[in-house]
Amino acid sequence: MQRKPRPEKPIMSKGDAPITFDYKDAPTLLRFVTERGRILPRARTGLDSKGQRALRTAVKRARLLALLPFAA
């Protein structure tokens, strides 16, 4: 019988200071995007719904300005 893989730890934990997402800050946004260009889910990022929406908006704006790739 195979063991289930352990879920990875979230990037943000509850004790961390809240992050404000800015579409011009590509290095911060790259922490929340996979190498294929997908936005990580809430379970992996550890953000609340409001923070996840802000992340989504910032990533989409950065993609339109060619600061982040649409796909790799």
Side-chain angles (χ1 to χ4, degrees):
M1 215 169 148
Q2 285 185 335
R3 294 176 58 181
K4 289 184 181 179
R6 276 195 150 152
E8 297 179 29
K9 286 189 173 185
I11 295 172
M12 299 289 298
S13 63
K14 294 190 185 238
D16 291 343
I19 288 183
T20 55
F21 295 106
D22 186 19
Y23 67 92
K24 296 171 279 194
D25 188 12
T28 301
L29 294 178
L30 283 173
R31 288 178 43 202
F32 297 94
V33 177
T34 65
E35 57 202 25
R36 295 185 144 259
R38 293 180 168 192
I39 302 171
L40 293 173
R42 279 182 61 193
R44 181 70 183 100
T45 60
L47 296 169
D48 58 346
S49 59
K50 188 175 179 181
Q52 190 73 15
R53 281 194 301 272
L55 171 65
R56 179 193 66 199
T57 304
V59 168
K60 288 185 176 191
R61 286 180 181 167
R63 284 175 177 166
L64 287 174
L65 293 174
L67 299 175
L68 290 178
F70 277 97

